[in-house]
Amino acid sequence: MSSELIRQDDVTIRFAGDSGDGMQLTGTQFTETTAKVGNDLATFPDYPSEIRAPVGTRAGVSVYQIHFSSRDIYTPGDAPSVLVAMNPAALITNYKDLQPGSIILANTGAFTEKDLKKAELDSNPLTDGTLSGFRVIQEDINARTVQALAETSLGKKDVLRCKNFYTLGMMYWLFSRPIEPTLEWLNVKFAKKPELADANARALKAGYNYAELLRLFQGRYEVPKVENVPKGFYRNVMGNEALAIGLAAGAQLAGLKAFLGSYPITPATDILQYMSLMKNYDVVTCQMEDEIAGVCTAIGASFAGRLGMTTTSGPGLALKTEAIGLAVITELPLVIVDVQRAGPSTGLPTKVEQADLLQSMFGRNSEAPLPVLSCATPADAFECAVEACRIATQYMTPVILLSDNYIANGAEPWKLPDMDKLEKFPVKFVTDPEGFSPYKRDDKLARGWAKPGTPGLAHRIGGLEKDSLTGNVSHDPDNHQVMVDLRLAKVNGVADSIPTPELNGAESGELLVVAWGSTYGASRAAVERLQRDGVAATHMHMRHLRPFPHGLADIFRKFKRIIVPELNMGQLAFVLQSEYPEFRFEKYNKVKGKPFQARELKAHFEKILDLEVKS
Amino acid sequence: MSDVQQLKAKDFKSNQEVRWCPGCGDYSIISSVQSVLAELGRDKDNVVMVSGIGCSSRFPYYMDTYGFHSIHGRANAIATGVKVANPDLETWVITGDGDGLSIGGNHMIHSLRRNVNLKIILFNNEIYGLTKGQYSPTTPQGQKTKTSPFGSVDAPFNPLQLALGAGATFVARTLDVRPKHMKAVLKAAAEHKGAAFVEVWQNCVIFNDGCFKEWSEKKVRDDQTVDLVAGQPMIFGSEKEKGLKAEGCHIQVVPAAEASIWDPTVDSAGPAFLMSQLDKDPSMPKPFGVYRAVEAPTLEGLVHDQISEVTAKRGVGKLKDLIYTSDSWEVE
Ligand SMILES: Cc1ncc(C[n+]2csc(CCOP(=O)(O)OP(=O)(O)O)c2C)c(N)n1
Ligand code: SF4
Ligand SMILES: [Mg+2]
């Protein structure tokens, strides 16, 4: 067997196992190491919503996919070329997504009659021909791990828990990654349990050496690092973490202390968890009794002069609706983060969808406009969170920032911002009683922010309509019209402070693909592939969704067709169509709890353009 | 400012026209609050009144302090945000029996269990006033209201028991027609360090007139109510000739000389519960005054202490440290 180093520029690996097999950890470690090696990468974890789904069943399969490359990439990859399957359920639910000729590493230690039965299989897919056309490597990873750890004092159960590190070692060898970063991580992670650090380190090394010694795989791969990466500092980051850091940063850039009122809900909970660690960064977090209390404490905190924030997912946003209307009418700054998940009601809590756009834009009683924006990728979540804080404080308004499950739990290398270049937008509280009126506005139509405790500025705000000049309660019909108009004009005015989206591609052509949120990656990748095939296609990503940036009509005009791919039934297309009736917005929609794949979008674009489908 | 003049009750009145019905019990409550704030020498720029929705919740508009008239049931949550964001602000919650016990019941119990230093006045008129007369969570069973034309079948809450059960550190009851008593209770609430829950029996002249008259009218009051005063015997009657004596789980009426001494500061909430049970017995007087007043750490205190502790240990965090973590690397 050869042991040559085969160069590959682009690899997608999928780790699949039972929820208890530690696949998410294996995936994140592979990701961290790969980031350090200098590859660009994107990841996609996919796991069941039950913490302990029945062991060995199809429902219990937990998956972590990583796409890494020596080029810039935008998605976690369409079809993996490597599958690690720790049991039959993991194999059977994933092998169909693979590219032809892919490598499958199957842990035969978990392919007993019993295991097959749990996976609802009548015969063993490793031997019944199911996997013809793949390069299947069968290893009893359970037994190997037990052997490798024979000299440790751990019990059998704990020993078997190390099998994911054994597997990780094999993968490190196969893709020529160093094992040192993971060894260091183990030492830190298990500083208080050195026996566990030692056992996992042994398993990792044993897996690595075994792969090398036995030449399990035909050859070994090298994925060179990305060349010409812009200089600077990088780190690997998950979406929720970047968002949490962005919220803390946004408050500081506004010169304020942050206050997060929240209630745990998948997939937004991590943000509350991350921010709860930021006690020494002027961040107060309160885990409240429900989502309503979460947003209400944030509103109270904003009234008192902090920057109020609340984080949730769709069902929680629904509960917060009435309170957000209160923030609209009292014109207090408030940042609301909705990490979207799939389905109405509880739906598919751990799956991706972007169907809360209309809820964000219009889901309140009466005329209650507010700015809405969305993040594109895990690293972009940082910038978007800062941007949400900027708009909230500069315009004295609640802002909804949309993320989703795919961004929240996905990871990518983040080019860290130059600290000196982070733009500050300091808040100036009203302090002068001379001529003070709570609803006096600046040139952006933002009212002044006078916080309780300021001498001479005692005033009342509330949910009843206020006189546009004095701020006293007013039931006057004309005044109500004036106030509704003012609040709308203020929100529309945000457009003056945001850029027209950049285009990836030519300014005119056959097809414009308009994407928002996490469909950024697949849309951009699909368009770039079309461009390589010589198609005049352009991709445009929309960060700001309400108000729309200026200049969109001039962009739309120059394309023959405009298509809006969305993981919903056409929500952005619906709004674009009503705002720009002179153009036609075609929809492409999917709601399967899964992200778009670049190849799927490309195939669709080719189809509508009447091109020969290449893919 | 050191040369602040002591403010008078009228200095706490805003310039807004008060719009409660003539004769409404709310008037006496607001003037008591204004007097108490003046007597305690409070600075109106440092006081925040937070309310929900209801007749009672219009209160903040009539006070010349900072004020937030919010949404139905959420005053406690908003006030929690105010207090934790800036513990220096004296924060009051104004709520009704519907606002605070029905739609806002959840926030009520949680703000009490967390012991947020809020002064909570629950205006109990046993009716939904603002929506014009539907039964509330404190309306007695059997009462006819607009939504219970054949009598309400819902069993009511005893607000004091709810507060005690939620772990409130200060629980009291007073009534609109006894401003002197009300001021004393409100003063004690204002000076309590922690969540103070004060139920005020408030007459709604329009939709529930006279609902408390068996206890509030002068001619019956002495015999039908008893004032709980810390360190004093529990005596009542027009000549203060009767007393209450606690024996185990029983309270009985005895001659004044044999009355038990009332102590709201005992560790156990048992005695307060026992007194609140008297509401059920028509032959017994209803207790007013401070049921419970015990000390416990406040939420906002704990939150900020923890921040100080972590900051002392880890140092003041710089934004750069959050972003440039140890697992970052440089591309040159
Ligand atoms: C979300 C919501 N539901 C219902 C109402 C209607 N509403 C306003 S006040 C009120 C009841 C108020 O009763 P209470 O709290 O006892 O106050 P009171 O008017 O008696 O002082 C109701 C049901 C509302 N304003 N908002
Ligand atoms: S309706 Fe009743 S509670 Fe409301 S203001 Fe009138 S009297 Fe007072
Ligand atoms: Mg009421």
Side-chain angles (χ1 to χ4, degrees):
Chain A
M1 279 191 207
S2 75
S3 64
E4 63 184 300
L5 215 47
I6 310 160
R7 184 187 157 121
Q8 283 216 334
D9 281 331
D10 210 82
V11 175
T12 301
I13 305 181
R14 188 178 288 181
F15 295 94
D18 190 67
S19 307
D21 286 342
M23 289 297 99
Q24 301 301 325
L25 186 59
T26 314
T28 9
Q29 278 306 307
F30 195 93
T31 301
E32 293 290 335
T33 302
T34 295
K36 292 206 172 103
V37 167
N39 293 127
D40 194 15
L41 63 86
T43 71
F44 179 54
D46 195 7
Y47 43 83
S49 60
E50 296 86 4
I51 304 293
R52 303 234 187 289
V55 177
T57 61
R58 296 183 184 207
V61 174
S62 170
V63 161
Y64 189 102
Q65 182 163 317
I66 169 169
H67 177 196
F68 56 109
S69 175
S70 44
R71 290 182 270 121
D72 274 355
I73 52 170
Y74 310 114
T75 76
D78 292 348
S81 57
V82 180
L83 172 66
V84 173
M86 298 302 282
N87 69 14
L91 177 68
I92 209 69
T93 50
N94 286 287
Y95 82 95
K96 284 187 188 142
D97 297 337
L98 296 173
Q99 290 172 26
S102 293
I103 298 173
I104 297 176
L105 170 62
N107 171 23
T108 54
F111 274 73
T112 63
E113 270 311 303
K114 230 169 91 195
D115 297 316
L116 293 170
K117 213 160 157 198
K118 282 190 212 150
E120 298 159 53
L121 289 167
D122 297 329
S123 64
N124 188 343
L126 294 176
T127 53
D128 67 4
T130 305
L131 303 179
S132 64
F134 296 114
R135 283 191 279 156
V136 185
I137 290 139
Q138 305 189 24
E139 262 318 309
D140 187 341
I141 296 173
N142 291 9
R144 298 270 163 275
T145 309
V146 172
Q147 274 169 5
L149 300 188
E151 285 164 30
T152 63
S153 57
L154 295 186
K156 171 130 196 236
K157 229 173 152 185
D158 282 335
V159 165
L160 276 180
R161 283 229 177 97
C162 299
K163 64 176 179 287
N164 59 334
F165 278 83
Y166 192 94
T167 315
L168 182 63
M170 294 171 82
M171 286 294 119
Y172 277 164
W173 182 84
L174 184 60
F175 290 97
S176 319
R177 326 262 95 182
I179 59 171
E180 285 71 25
T182 297
L183 292 177
E184 279 165 32
W185 177 86
L186 281 169
N187 282 335
V188 176
K189 169 86 183 168
F190 295 117
K192 293 211 177 93
K193 290 184 183 150
E195 68 283 3
L196 287 185
D198 173 62
N200 282 301
R202 278 174 194 244
L204 182 75
K205 288 182 200 160
Y208 189 93
N209 294 338
Y210 185 74
E212 175 163 77
L213 201 68
L214 294 195
R215 297 276 180 259
L216 282 182
F217 305 97
Q218 297 166 14
R220 186 181 188 190
Y221 299 93
E222 175 197 39
V223 183
K225 66 177 188 183
V226 185
E227 295 299 339
N228 306 322
V229 182
K231 277 188 194 163
F233 283 86
Y234 288 78
R235 74 187 259 208
N236 186 50
V237 79
M238 308 232 309
N240 272 344
E241 186 180 11
L243 213 156
I245 298 168
L247 291 176
Q252 290 204 9
L253 293 170
L256 299 174
K257 297 181 174 187
F259 180 102
L260 175 66
S262 189
Y263 188 75
I265 182 170
T266 304
T269 312
D270 301 332
I271 306 174
L272 171 60
Q273 290 177 184
Y274 284 122
M275 293 190 79
S276 303
L277 284 166
M278 299 180 185
K279 292 270 175 301
N280 53 334
Y281 291 87
D282 282 342
V283 175
V284 164
T285 54
C286 284
Q287 179 181 315
M288 295 305 293
E289 55 271 20
D290 60 20
E291 279 86 352
I292 300 174
V295 65
C296 284
T297 43
I299 290 172
S302 279
F303 178 56
R306 279 187 174 246
L307 179 50
M309 308 170 171
T310 189
T311 49
T312 190
S313 186
L317 184 63
L319 284 171
K320 293 175 196 292
T321 299
E322 188 199 10
I324 296 172
L326 178 69
V328 169
I329 199 168
T330 53
E331 302 188 45
L332 284 169
L334 173 69
V335 177
I336 304 131
V337 176
D338 172 8
V339 185
Q340 301 164 95
R341 59 192 224 180
S345 185
T346 307
L348 303 165
T350 59
K351 306 293 172 197
V352 65
E353 202 165 276
Q354 42 180 189
D356 294 349
L357 179 64
L358 294 182
Q359 178 181 212
S360 304
M361 287 182 168
F362 307 116
R364 288 167 293 284
N365 53 305
S366 185
E367 298 291 341
L370 52 74
V372 178
L373 58 160
S374 72
C375 27
T377 68
D380 187 51
F382 170 82
E383 275 181 41
C384 289
V386 171
E387 174 70 348
C389 296
R390 180 190 71 83
I391 297 174
T393 51
Q394 292 298 296
Y395 290 84
M396 293 293 282
T397 178
V399 174
I400 294 182
L401 169 57
L402 293 170
S403 175
D404 66 36
N405 211 351
Y406 179 73
I407 296 168
N409 293 305
E412 69 173 347
W414 172 26
K415 180 168 189 314
L416 305 183
D418 191 339
M419 296 308 291
D420 307 327
K421 291 201 181 119
L422 280 179
E423 199 188 322
K424 293 197 169 111
F425 37 87
V427 164
K428 285 190 212 75
F429 287 103
V430 183
T431 51
D432 188 359
E434 187 64 36
F436 169 72
S437 165
Y439 282 79
K440 206 157 141 185
R441 293 168 195 279
D442 65 11
D443 50 0
K444 297 192 301 298
L445 297 179
R447 76 175 185 92
W449 191 0
K451 56 178 172 180
T454 314
L457 298 187
H459 67 281
R460 277 64 58 192
I461 60 169
L464 285 172
E465 186 63 284
K466 298 297 185 296
D467 183 271
S468 65
L469 301 174
T470 62
N472 289 329
V473 174
S474 165
H475 298 287
D476 181 67
D478 293 332
N479 177 72
H480 179 48
Q481 179 77 56
V482 167
M483 288 300 271
V484 168
D485 291 344
L486 271 171
R487 288 187 288 260
L488 181 61
K490 178 178 80 169
V491 169
N492 286 340
V494 172
D496 298 341
S497 74
I498 59 181
T500 304
E502 282 173 24
L503 299 180
N504 299 307
E507 276 178 24
S508 61
E510 290 291 319
L511 182 69
L512 177 70
V513 177
V514 178
W516 71 276
S518 70
T519 47
Y520 161 84
S523 304
R524 180 161 185 183
V527 167
E528 290 193 359
R529 285 180 207 173
L530 281 180
Q531 290 167 348
R532 270 182 244 138
D533 292 350
V535 181
T538 293
H539 160 255
M540 178 176 95
H541 176 75
M542 297 196 49
R543 172 183 281 182
H544 295 91
L545 299 163
R546 188 165 202 203
F548 288 136
H550 296 308
L552 292 188
D554 290 336
I555 295 175
F556 295 150
R557 196 164 291 130
K558 297 191 182 121
F559 290 88
K560 287 211 185 114
R561 301 177 72 161
I562 307 169
I563 187 160
V564 189
E566 295 179 81
L567 298 176
N568 59 44
M569 294 308 284
Q571 301 194 1
L572 179 63
F574 173 80
V575 181
L576 284 169
Q577 196 62 67
S578 83
E579 290 258 325
Y580 302 95
E582 64 272 40
F583 307 106
R584 194 166 91 80
F585 297 90
E586 294 176 50
K587 301 192 239 177
Y588 184 64
N589 307 112
K590 175 166 105 169
V591 278
K592 295 185 173 182
K594 295 224 176 262
F596 282 128
Q597 297 194 335
R599 63 172 173 181
E600 152 190 19
L601 290 182
K602 179 172 181 253
H604 180 73
F605 301 154
E606 285 169 335
K607 197 174 101 196
I608 63 165
L609 292 176
D610 251 348
L611 299 170
E612 191 190 330
V613 179
K614 291 189 184 134
S615 203
Chain B
M1 282 185 280
S2 54
D3 58 348
V4 203
Q5 289 179 341
Q6 169 108 12
L7 299 172
K8 305 216 168 54
K10 70 169 175 25
D11 295 322
F12 286 93
K13 284 188 186 155
S14 78
N15 59 3
Q16 297 296 293
E17 185 196 343
V18 184
R19 297 267 187 96
W20 288 311
C21 306
C24 173
D26 292 357
Y27 284 96
S28 112
I29 306 178
I30 199 166
S31 53
S32 297
V33 171
Q34 286 160 344
S35 313
V36 166
L37 290 176
E39 280 167 35
L40 291 173
R42 294 294 200 257
D43 171 1
K44 62 186 185 180
D45 290 322
N46 203 47
V47 173
V48 183
M49 295 281 162
V50 184
S51 67
I53 296 290
C55 292
S56 36
S57 286
R58 296 292 170 95
F59 193 101
Y61 289 124
Y62 309 140
M63 295 285 298
D64 194 13
T65 62
Y66 284 89
F68 200 153
H69 174 231
S70 71
I71 43 177
H72 201 20
R74 317 300 170 199
N76 293 59
I78 290 176
T80 298
V82 169
K83 191 70 190 174
V84 175
N86 182 358
D88 294 337
L89 297 170
E90 174 161 336
T91 309
W92 291 65
V93 169
I94 307 297
T95 184
D97 43 317
D99 192 63
L101 299 182
S102 195
I103 189 166
N106 198 30
H107 309 308
M108 178 64 77
I109 55 175
H110 289 280
S111 57
L112 293 176
R113 90 170 150 91
R114 294 190 181 105
N115 199 31
V116 191
N117 192 350
L118 304 173
K119 310 303 150 203
I120 304 162
I121 312 183
L122 184 110
F123 291 44
N124 185 7
N125 54 12
E126 298 189 345
I127 200 83
Y128 284 1
L130 193 68
T131 47
K132 302 192 165 68
Q134 301 78 25
Y135 62 94
S136 88
T138 55
T139 305
Q141 220 161 15
Q143 184 171 326
K144 289 185 178 156
T145 71
K146 286 208 183 127
T147 43
S148 57
F150 304 104
S152 165
V153 295
D154 282 20
F157 268 140
N158 177 325
L160 302 172
Q161 291 178 350
L162 188 79
L164 289 167
T169 53
F170 183 99
V171 177
R173 176 157 75 187
T174 180
L175 69 173
D176 55 2
V177 292
R178 290 183 63 196
K180 223 170 124 191
H181 186 266
M182 183 158 44
K183 276 184 228 166
V185 164
L186 290 175
K187 216 173 193 172
E191 289 181 317
H192 174 71
K193 286 190 188 61
F197 178 90
V198 180
E199 178 196 4
V200 185
W201 283 10
Q202 172 246 325
N203 192 37
C204 168
V205 284
I206 307 293
F207 299 111
N208 207 10
D209 195 22
C211 66
F212 298 118
K213 69 173 191 284
E214 288 168 62
W215 304 277
S216 62
E217 284 189 347
K218 274 219 173 80
K219 54 180 195 285
V220 293
R221 205 189 279 165
D222 289 345
D223 282 321
Q224 295 303 325
T225 67
V226 57
D227 283 349
L228 304 178
V229 184
Q232 299 292 320
M234 300 187 281
I235 50 173
F236 64 108
S238 48
E239 308 292 323
K240 296 278 179 231
E241 73 285 9
K242 293 179 274 191
L244 293 180
K245 187 175 166 75
E247 251 174 346
C249 287
H250 294 285
I251 306 262
Q252 61 190 109
V253 178
V254 292
E258 293 167 34
S260 309
I261 305 290
W262 178 242
D263 182 5
T265 65
V266 289
D267 212 33
S268 160
F273 263 110
L274 199 57
M275 295 315 288
S276 72
Q277 281 294 108
L278 296 189
D279 280 12
K280 282 196 169 167
D281 186 345
S283 72
M284 295 296 258
K286 292 202 194 287
F288 283 81
V290 179
Y291 278 63
R292 183 161 173 76
V294 292
E295 290 217 4
T298 62
L299 174 76
E300 70 279 5
L302 293 169
V303 165
H304 290 279
D305 285 354
Q306 193 175 58
I307 287 177
S308 311
E309 244 169 68
V310 176
T311 309
K313 229 189 252 165
R314 301 193 174 170
V316 177
K318 295 213 184 57
L319 189 52
K320 188 165 182 189
D321 307 332
L322 264 187
I323 297 173
Y324 286 73
T325 44
S326 59
D327 55 357
S328 57
W329 66 89
E330 188 175 9
V331 173
E332 295 182 17

